[in-house]
Amino acid sequence: MERRAYYRNKGLPWLLIAPQLLLVLVFFYWPTSQALYWAFTLEQPWGGGNSWAGWDNFLAIFHDREYWGTVVRSAFYACCTTALSMFMALTLAVFVDRSLKGTRAFQSVYVWPYAIAAPAAGVAFRFIFAPEAGLVGAINGLWPGIWNPAINGYQALGMIIVCHSWLGIGYNFIFFLAALQMIPRSISEAGAMDGARPVRRMLDLQLPLIAPTVFFLLIINLISSFTDSFGLIDTMTEGGPFGSTEVMVYKIYFDGFKGLDYSGAAAQSIILMLLVVALTFVQFRWVEKRVHYN
């Protein structure tokens, strides 16, 4: 029987949700409307009004080869961070779910990275991967110049990918562990009795049963990779060396706040938003067909 809540005062429900609606209006819809307005106008760098530009800002972006480089780099960054973070989180969740020796002691520790702010993690990893100190410094002592993200763009991008993946492991781990613990033990035990090893049981039995969780985390991680990388990049590389770690979200900041191209940055933010929406739509339209909820 369906249960519903009824209020004698019809204004009470709106009063209860008013704070949330106000937050959404002020921090999402209002900035989005302003970005849309700026994207179709030419905003003066130091103020003083603007003029209508139509599609000129978008056309300038689409004809910019440097911008397309950031799009490709962002897609590569999102795929790598999503795959690495989800794989590590699933591996840890499988070990904890099997109740192996020592996993209970570390069960809460796995979640800690998610509570760390991205700029703080970026500063920590910048010291960890510093070429002149620690383990990396010792390796550079044996093979001089083998690691230096300050001049090697591939190493700098890899360093940020590792840091971003590490930050997302705790969030993914919680969902994977909850999904695995919902699977009846009898299913895994039946597979073990048939001679299936742990990896085979994971691929053939457990993974299909947690497909909805995998699909949900896939969407969340991809969106996070496109939109939440600014703090890491700004504290670790500032987009360098030579723009090799400049992704779409950081280019919006760089062009808008350092290049004072507010209209171009606004147009880039609209493109990024549409890209994320389109990516989510594609996943729900085609990827979800392979997900079984029963």
Side-chain angles (χ1 to χ4, degrees), residues 249-273:
V249 67
Y250 192 81
K251 184 172 175 56
I252 294 173
Y253 158 78
F254 188 87
D255 290 353
F257 289 91
K258 293 189 176 182
L260 299 180
D261 183 12
Y262 299 128
S263 300
Q268 292 180 43
S269 65
I270 298 301
I271 294 174
L272 177 59
M273 181 182 67

Side-chain angles (χ1 to χ4, degrees), residues 13-176:
W14 292 102
L15 182 63
L16 294 175
I17 65 174
Q20 184 65 30
L21 291 177
L22 183 62
L23 289 175
V24 173
L25 177 64
V26 173
F27 293 102
F28 182 77
Y29 289 109
W30 173 251
T32 302
S33 65
Q34 292 293 80
L36 278 171
Y37 175 71
W38 285 5
F40 290 95
T41 60
L42 286 177
E43 187 77 15
Q44 300 299 324
W46 308 106
N50 48 25
S51 57
W52 180 256
W55 296 95
D56 291 347
N57 293 321
F58 294 93
L59 293 176
I61 293 172
F62 291 145
H63 287 88
D64 186 3
R65 292 185 177 181
E66 182 180 349
Y67 179 76
W68 286 109
T70 62
V71 173
V72 174
R73 194 177 301 113
S74 299
F76 176 78
Y77 177 87
C79 292
C80 290
T81 54
T82 299
L84 183 59
S85 181
M86 291 182 64
F87 174 77
M88 293 301 300
L90 180 59
T91 302
L92 294 174
V94 169
F95 282 122
V96 172
D97 181 60
R98 293 183 64 199
S99 300
L100 297 180
K101 185 178 180 180
T103 55
R104 288 188 177 274
F106 293 97
Q107 187 168 348
S108 60
V109 179
Y110 295 152
V111 191
W112 289 357
Y114 186 66
I116 300 177
V123 172
F125 271 80
R126 185 173 181 176
F127 281 103
I128 292 173
F129 286 103
E132 66 277 357
L135 178 61
V136 179
I139 296 176
N140 274 341
L142 298 176
W143 294 281
I146 193 174
W147 173 265
N148 192 351
I151 60 176
N152 191 310
Y154 295 104
Q155 294 178 357
L157 185 61
M159 177 177 63
I160 298 176
I161 288 174
V162 170
C163 183
H164 196 145
S165 303
W166 179 79
L167 282 173
I169 288 177
Y171 182 85
N172 297 329
F173 167 78
I174 295 173
F175 283 90
F176 277 134

